[in-house]
Amino acid sequence: MPKGIYGKINFYLIAFFILLILFGINTGETSAVWEKAVSLCLSCMGIG
């Protein structure tokens, strides 16, 4: 376990964000994020 207050905060934040990522993957949000990223990238290049 990390030492100090900042080490503990960092540990819990990383664990919380990993849980959020796993929750998003479990609910199928990866396809929605991928579609938005592709459309944004295509619009930046002027194709879409």
Side-chain angles (χ1 to χ4, degrees):
M1 188 87 172
K3 294 181 181 178
I5 186 72
Y6 293 113
K8 290 180 182 178
I9 291 172
N10 288 338
F11 175 77
Y12 289 122
L13 280 176
I14 290 171
F16 177 68
F17 290 130
I18 289 173
L19 286 175
L20 286 177
I21 289 170
L22 292 174
F23 178 74
I25 290 171
N26 191 32
T27 58
E29 290 295 319
T30 51
S31 61
V33 171
W34 180 253
E35 290 173 13
K36 290 176 185 178
V38 168
S39 68
L40 176 69
C41 195
L42 290 176
S43 67
C44 286
M45 291 188 293
I47 297 173

